[in-house]
Amino acid sequence: MQCHPSTQNTTTLAAGALRPLAGTAIYPGTVTGAAALIGITVHGTRARAYVCDGMPGWAVTLADWFTGPVRAGTLDAVSGQHRVRLAARLGGLTASGTVTLADGQIYRFTAPLAASGGRAGVFEGTGRLLGLAYHAGRIVLPGGGQRSAAEYPAGPAREHGIAYLPLGPT
C-alpha cells in the first residue's frame, strides 16, 4: 500500500465538524510499510477503529472503519467497505496487530495509548453535500500528524461513483 500523488482530481473535501469518538482508551498510531495511520477507541467491551492514508493532494488508497467487540483484550473486525481485516491486541499502554487487505497484503501497526485530554484521537463526521451524504474520518497523532478522508457519496447511490477524497487540514 503506497500513497501516491493523485492523478485524478486533487479536490479536497472541507467536511463539517468532525466529532471525537469517545472512549475509555484511545490508541492512535502508525501502520508500518504504509503511509497510513490507525486509530482505535475502546468504550467498555466495544471498539471502533479507523485506518486511513488520506492526505491533501494524494490519492486515498485506504480508508476503512471497523466496529466490534473486545474479547480478552483483542479486537478482530472486518470492514464493510473493502473487506479489510483488523486484528488488534489492546494492552494497557499499546495496541498492536495487523491490517490485512482484501488482496492478502498484511501490514503491522503499533498505537500507543493517548494521554487523556490531549488532541490525539479518532474523529468521525457525517453530513450532506450537494444533496448527497458523506462519511468522514480523521486520525490525529499526539505529535499532530494526521490522515483523513471522506467517502462521498456515502453508501449506495444510484448513478454516482463513490470517491474517497482527502479532507482539508484542520
PDB file of all heavy atoms in Angstrom, residues 135-160:
ATOM      1  N   HIS A 135     -19.449  10.466   4.621  1.00  0.00           N
ATOM      2  CA  HIS A 135     -18.976   9.886   5.881  1.00  0.00           C
ATOM      3  C   HIS A 135     -17.486  10.162   5.947  1.00  0.00           C
ATOM      4  O   HIS A 135     -16.737   9.713   5.081  1.00  0.00           O
ATOM      5  CB  HIS A 135     -19.265   8.386   5.910  1.00  0.00           C
ATOM      6  CG  HIS A 135     -18.860   7.715   7.181  1.00  0.00           C
ATOM      7  ND1 HIS A 135     -18.509   6.400   7.224  1.00  0.00           N
ATOM      8  CD2 HIS A 135     -18.752   8.166   8.450  1.00  0.00           C
ATOM      9  CE1 HIS A 135     -18.200   6.068   8.472  1.00  0.00           C
ATOM     10  NE2 HIS A 135     -18.343   7.124   9.234  1.00  0.00           N
ATOM     11  N   ALA A 136     -17.060  10.911   6.945  1.00  0.00           N
ATOM     12  CA  ALA A 136     -15.668  11.344   7.029  1.00  0.00           C
ATOM     13  C   ALA A 136     -15.014  10.849   8.305  1.00  0.00           C
ATOM     14  O   ALA A 136     -15.667  10.641   9.321  1.00  0.00           O
ATOM     15  CB  ALA A 136     -15.593  12.872   6.979  1.00  0.00           C
ATOM     16  N   GLY A 137     -13.695  10.657   8.230  1.00  0.00           N
ATOM     17  CA  GLY A 137     -12.929  10.250   9.400  1.00  0.00           C
ATOM     18  C   GLY A 137     -11.564  10.907   9.408  1.00  0.00           C
ATOM     19  O   GLY A 137     -11.040  11.289   8.360  1.00  0.00           O
ATOM     20  N   ARG A 138     -11.004  11.051  10.597  1.00  0.00           N
ATOM     21  CA  ARG A 138      -9.668  11.639  10.756  1.00  0.00           C
ATOM     22  C   ARG A 138      -8.993  10.969  11.945  1.00  0.00           C
ATOM     23  O   ARG A 138      -9.619  10.694  12.953  1.00  0.00           O
ATOM     24  CB  ARG A 138      -9.773  13.139  10.987  1.00  0.00           C
ATOM     25  CG  ARG A 138      -8.417  13.789  11.266  1.00  0.00           C
ATOM     26  CD  ARG A 138      -8.509  15.277  11.208  1.00  0.00           C
ATOM     27  NE  ARG A 138      -8.794  15.580   9.807  1.00  0.00           N
ATOM     28  CZ  ARG A 138      -9.133  16.767   9.355  1.00  0.00           C
ATOM     29  NH1 ARG A 138      -9.219  17.770  10.156  1.00  0.00           N
ATOM     30  NH2 ARG A 138      -9.389  16.952   8.080  1.00  0.00           N
ATOM     31  N   ILE A 139      -7.697  10.718  11.799  1.00  0.00           N
ATOM     32  CA  ILE A 139      -6.866  10.212  12.886  1.00  0.00           C
ATOM     33  C   ILE A 139      -5.831  11.285  13.158  1.00  0.00           C
ATOM     34  O   ILE A 139      -5.177  11.768  12.227  1.00  0.00           O
ATOM     35  CB  ILE A 139      -6.149   8.906  12.496  1.00  0.00           C
ATOM     36  CG1 ILE A 139      -7.164   7.847  12.084  1.00  0.00           C
ATOM     37  CG2 ILE A 139      -5.253   8.416  13.635  1.00  0.00           C
ATOM     38  CD1 ILE A 139      -6.592   6.784  11.177  1.00  0.00           C
ATOM     39  N   VAL A 140      -5.673  11.658  14.423  1.00  0.00           N
ATOM     40  CA  VAL A 140      -4.674  12.658  14.803  1.00  0.00           C
ATOM     41  C   VAL A 140      -3.738  12.018  15.829  1.00  0.00           C
ATOM     42  O   VAL A 140      -4.182  11.496  16.851  1.00  0.00           O
ATOM     43  CB  VAL A 140      -5.327  13.922  15.398  1.00  0.00           C
ATOM     44  CG1 VAL A 140      -4.266  14.928  15.825  1.00  0.00           C
ATOM     45  CG2 VAL A 140      -6.296  14.547  14.407  1.00  0.00           C
ATOM     46  N   LEU A 141      -2.434  12.054  15.524  1.00  0.00           N
ATOM     47  CA  LEU A 141      -1.414  11.532  16.441  1.00  0.00           C
ATOM     48  C   LEU A 141      -1.079  12.573  17.508  1.00  0.00           C
ATOM     49  O   LEU A 141      -1.307  13.773  17.298  1.00  0.00           O
ATOM     50  CB  LEU A 141      -0.151  11.172  15.664  1.00  0.00           C
ATOM     51  CG  LEU A 141      -0.285  10.080  14.598  1.00  0.00           C
ATOM     52  CD1 LEU A 141       1.051   9.895  13.874  1.00  0.00           C
ATOM     53  CD2 LEU A 141      -0.753   8.781  15.217  1.00  0.00           C
ATOM     54  N   PRO A 142      -0.487  12.158  18.636  1.00  0.00           N
ATOM     55  CA  PRO A 142      -0.113  13.113  19.678  1.00  0.00           C
ATOM     56  C   PRO A 142       0.796  14.243  19.174  1.00  0.00           C
ATOM     57  O   PRO A 142       0.668  15.383  19.614  1.00  0.00           O
ATOM     58  CB  PRO A 142       0.609  12.248  20.723  1.00  0.00           C
ATOM     59  CG  PRO A 142       0.033  10.888  20.528  1.00  0.00           C
ATOM     60  CD  PRO A 142      -0.230  10.776  19.051  1.00  0.00           C
ATOM     61  N   GLY A 143       1.670  13.966  18.221  1.00  0.00           N
ATOM     62  CA  GLY A 143       2.567  14.986  17.681  1.00  0.00           C
ATOM     63  C   GLY A 143       1.918  15.865  16.625  1.00  0.00           C
ATOM     64  O   GLY A 143       2.557  16.768  16.085  1.00  0.00           O
ATOM     65  N   GLY A 144       0.657  15.590  16.282  1.00  0.00           N
ATOM     66  CA  GLY A 144      -0.059  16.414  15.322  1.00  0.00           C
ATOM     67  C   GLY A 144      -0.203  15.815  13.934  1.00  0.00           C
ATOM     68  O   GLY A 144      -0.983  16.304  13.135  1.00  0.00           O
ATOM     69  N   GLY A 145       0.560  14.754  13.603  1.00  0.00           N
ATOM     70  CA  GLY A 145       0.402  14.115  12.298  1.00  0.00           C
ATOM     71  C   GLY A 145      -1.012  13.596  12.153  1.00  0.00           C
ATOM     72  O   GLY A 145      -1.637  13.196  13.133  1.00  0.00           O
ATOM     73  N   GLN A 146      -1.539  13.624  10.931  1.00  0.00           N
ATOM     74  CA  GLN A 146      -2.906  13.161  10.748  1.00  0.00           C
ATOM     75  C   GLN A 146      -3.151  12.634   9.346  1.00  0.00           C
ATOM     76  O   GLN A 146      -2.410  12.940   8.408  1.00  0.00           O
ATOM     77  CB  GLN A 146      -3.907  14.271  11.074  1.00  0.00           C
ATOM     78  CG  GLN A 146      -3.707  15.548  10.292  1.00  0.00           C
ATOM     79  CD  GLN A 146      -4.640  16.633  10.796  1.00  0.00           C
ATOM     80  OE1 GLN A 146      -5.842  16.559  10.535  1.00  0.00           O
ATOM     81  NE2 GLN A 146      -4.126  17.599  11.512  1.00  0.00           N
ATOM     82  N   ARG A 147      -4.185  11.825   9.237  1.00  0.00           N
ATOM     83  CA  ARG A 147      -4.673  11.320   7.962  1.00  0.00           C
ATOM     84  C   ARG A 147      -6.192  11.408   8.033  1.00  0.00           C
ATOM     85  O   ARG A 147      -6.792  11.173   9.086  1.00  0.00           O
ATOM     86  CB  ARG A 147      -4.276   9.857   7.720  1.00  0.00           C
ATOM     87  CG  ARG A 147      -2.788   9.601   7.657  1.00  0.00           C
ATOM     88  CD  ARG A 147      -2.159  10.175   6.384  1.00  0.00           C
ATOM     89  NE  ARG A 147      -0.754   9.821   6.292  1.00  0.00           N
ATOM     90  CZ  ARG A 147       0.239  10.488   6.879  1.00  0.00           C
ATOM     91  NH1 ARG A 147      -0.013  11.550   7.609  1.00  0.00           N
ATOM     92  NH2 ARG A 147       1.485  10.097   6.727  1.00  0.00           N
ATOM     93  N   SER A 148      -6.811  11.712   6.887  1.00  0.00           N
ATOM     94  CA  SER A 148      -8.260  11.832   6.883  1.00  0.00           C
ATOM     95  C   SER A 148      -8.803  11.634   5.479  1.00  0.00           C
ATOM     96  O   SER A 148      -8.094  11.829   4.491  1.00  0.00           O
ATOM     97  CB  SER A 148      -8.679  13.207   7.418  1.00  0.00           C
ATOM     98  OG  SER A 148      -8.064  14.232   6.655  1.00  0.00           O
ATOM     99  N   ALA A 149     -10.055  11.238   5.415  1.00  0.00           N
ATOM    100  CA  ALA A 149     -10.717  11.051   4.126  1.00  0.00           C
ATOM    101  C   ALA A 149     -12.222  11.090   4.338  1.00  0.00           C
ATOM    102  O   ALA A 149     -12.709  10.909   5.451  1.00  0.00           O
ATOM    103  CB  ALA A 149     -10.314   9.724   3.489  1.00  0.00           C
ATOM    104  N   ALA A 150     -12.921  11.325   3.232  1.00  0.00           N
ATOM    105  CA  ALA A 150     -14.380  11.280   3.259  1.00  0.00           C
ATOM    106  C   ALA A 150     -14.864  10.410   2.117  1.00  0.00           C
ATOM    107  O   ALA A 150     -14.362  10.505   1.000  1.00  0.00           O
ATOM    108  CB  ALA A 150     -14.956  12.681   3.127  1.00  0.00           C
ATOM    109  N   GLU A 151     -15.810   9.553   2.424  1.00  0.00           N
ATOM    110  CA  GLU A 151     -16.470   8.739   1.410  1.00  0.00           C
ATOM    111  C   GLU A 151     -17.628   9.578   0.890  1.00  0.00           C
ATOM    112  O   GLU A 151     -18.520   9.977   1.657  1.00  0.00           O
ATOM    113  CB  GLU A 151     -16.983   7.449   2.052  1.00  0.00           C
ATOM    114  CG  GLU A 151     -17.774   6.577   1.118  1.00  0.00           C
ATOM    115  CD  GLU A 151     -18.409   5.398   1.844  1.00  0.00           C
ATOM    116  OE1 GLU A 151     -18.380   5.333   3.081  1.00  0.00           O
ATOM    117  OE2 GLU A 151     -18.973   4.548   1.149  1.00  0.00           O
ATOM    118  N   TYR A 152     -17.615   9.890  -0.413  1.00  0.00           N
ATOM    119  CA  TYR A 152     -18.635  10.769  -0.972  1.00  0.00           C
ATOM    120  C   TYR A 152     -19.064  10.271  -2.331  1.00  0.00           C
ATOM    121  O   TYR A 152     -18.205  10.118  -3.191  1.00  0.00           O
ATOM    122  CB  TYR A 152     -18.088  12.191  -1.086  1.00  0.00           C
ATOM    123  CG  TYR A 152     -19.090  13.157  -1.686  1.00  0.00           C
ATOM    124  CD1 TYR A 152     -20.178  13.594  -0.933  1.00  0.00           C
ATOM    125  CD2 TYR A 152     -18.954  13.601  -2.987  1.00  0.00           C
ATOM    126  CE1 TYR A 152     -21.096  14.472  -1.481  1.00  0.00           C
ATOM    127  CE2 TYR A 152     -19.875  14.479  -3.538  1.00  0.00           C
ATOM    128  CZ  TYR A 152     -20.943  14.914  -2.778  1.00  0.00           C
ATOM    129  OH  TYR A 152     -21.853  15.768  -3.313  1.00  0.00           O
ATOM    130  N   PRO A 153     -20.305  10.036  -2.598  1.00  0.00           N
ATOM    131  CA  PRO A 153     -21.361   9.978  -1.590  1.00  0.00           C
ATOM    132  C   PRO A 153     -21.229   8.697  -0.769  1.00  0.00           C
ATOM    133  O   PRO A 153     -20.710   7.708  -1.253  1.00  0.00           O
ATOM    134  CB  PRO A 153     -22.642   9.967  -2.424  1.00  0.00           C
ATOM    135  CG  PRO A 153     -22.237   9.395  -3.748  1.00  0.00           C
ATOM    136  CD  PRO A 153     -20.796   9.784  -3.943  1.00  0.00           C
ATOM    137  N   ALA A 154     -21.696   8.749   0.444  1.00  0.00           N
ATOM    138  CA  ALA A 154     -21.588   7.591   1.341  1.00  0.00           C
ATOM    139  C   ALA A 154     -22.684   6.593   1.024  1.00  0.00           C
ATOM    140  O   ALA A 154     -23.815   6.973   0.739  1.00  0.00           O
ATOM    141  CB  ALA A 154     -21.693   8.039   2.790  1.00  0.00           C
ATOM    142  N   GLY A 155     -22.342   5.329   1.066  1.00  0.00           N
ATOM    143  CA  GLY A 155     -23.311   4.266   0.883  1.00  0.00           C
ATOM    144  C   GLY A 155     -23.788   4.127  -0.548  1.00  0.00           C
ATOM    145  O   GLY A 155     -23.263   4.767  -1.447  1.00  0.00           O
ATOM    146  N   PRO A 156     -24.775   3.297  -0.764  1.00  0.00           N
ATOM    147  CA  PRO A 156     -25.266   3.070  -2.116  1.00  0.00           C
ATOM    148  C   PRO A 156     -25.871   4.354  -2.684  1.00  0.00           C
ATOM    149  O   PRO A 156     -26.662   5.009  -2.035  1.00  0.00           O
ATOM    150  CB  PRO A 156     -26.341   1.997  -1.954  1.00  0.00           C
ATOM    151  CG  PRO A 156     -26.263   1.518  -0.565  1.00  0.00           C
ATOM    152  CD  PRO A 156     -25.475   2.505   0.222  1.00  0.00           C
ATOM    153  N   ALA A 157     -25.458   4.722  -3.866  1.00  0.00           N
ATOM    154  CA  ALA A 157     -26.001   5.915  -4.522  1.00  0.00           C
ATOM    155  C   ALA A 157     -26.157   5.594  -6.000  1.00  0.00           C
ATOM    156  O   ALA A 157     -25.180   5.272  -6.670  1.00  0.00           O
ATOM    157  CB  ALA A 157     -25.079   7.102  -4.319  1.00  0.00           C
ATOM    158  N   ARG A 158     -27.346   5.672  -6.501  1.00  0.00           N
ATOM    159  CA  ARG A 158     -27.588   5.369  -7.911  1.00  0.00           C
ATOM    160  C   ARG A 158     -26.945   6.412  -8.803  1.00  0.00           C
ATOM    161  O   ARG A 158     -27.014   7.602  -8.529  1.00  0.00           O
ATOM    162  CB  ARG A 158     -29.075   5.317  -8.189  1.00  0.00           C
ATOM    163  CG  ARG A 158     -29.728   4.123  -7.581  1.00  0.00           C
ATOM    164  CD  ARG A 158     -31.158   4.050  -8.012  1.00  0.00           C
ATOM    165  NE  ARG A 158     -31.714   2.832  -7.450  1.00  0.00           N
ATOM    166  CZ  ARG A 158     -32.902   2.395  -7.702  1.00  0.00           C
ATOM    167  NH1 ARG A 158     -33.681   3.071  -8.513  1.00  0.00           N
ATOM    168  NH2 ARG A 158     -33.348   1.293  -7.155  1.00  0.00           N
ATOM    169  N   GLU A 159     -26.328   5.936  -9.856  1.00  0.00           N
ATOM    170  CA  GLU A 159     -25.737   6.785 -10.884  1.00  0.00           C
ATOM    171  C   GLU A 159     -24.614   7.681 -10.373  1.00  0.00           C
ATOM    172  O   GLU A 159     -24.305   8.695 -10.959  1.00  0.00           O
ATOM    173  CB  GLU A 159     -26.818   7.619 -11.572  1.00  0.00           C
ATOM    174  CG  GLU A 159     -27.877   6.760 -12.241  1.00  0.00           C
ATOM    175  CD  GLU A 159     -28.961   7.575 -12.891  1.00  0.00           C
ATOM    176  OE1 GLU A 159     -28.717   8.737 -13.232  1.00  0.00           O
ATOM    177  OE2 GLU A 159     -30.057   7.020 -13.060  1.00  0.00           O
ATOM    178  N   HIS A 160     -24.019   7.348  -9.256  1.00  0.00           N
ATOM    179  CA  HIS A 160     -22.880   8.101  -8.727  1.00  0.00           C
ATOM    180  C   HIS A 160     -21.784   7.119  -8.349  1.00  0.00           C
ATOM    181  O   HIS A 160     -22.043   6.156  -7.649  1.00  0.00           O
ATOM    182  CB  HIS A 160     -23.257   8.893  -7.465  1.00  0.00           C
ATOM    183  CG  HIS A 160     -24.217  10.008  -7.715  1.00  0.00           C
ATOM    184  ND1 HIS A 160     -23.831  11.207  -8.244  1.00  0.00           N
ATOM    185  CD2 HIS A 160     -25.548  10.098  -7.510  1.00  0.00           C
ATOM    186  CE1 HIS A 160     -24.883  12.001  -8.354  1.00  0.00           C
ATOM    187  NE2 HIS A 160     -25.942  11.344  -7.925  1.00  0.00           N
TER     188      HIS A 160
END
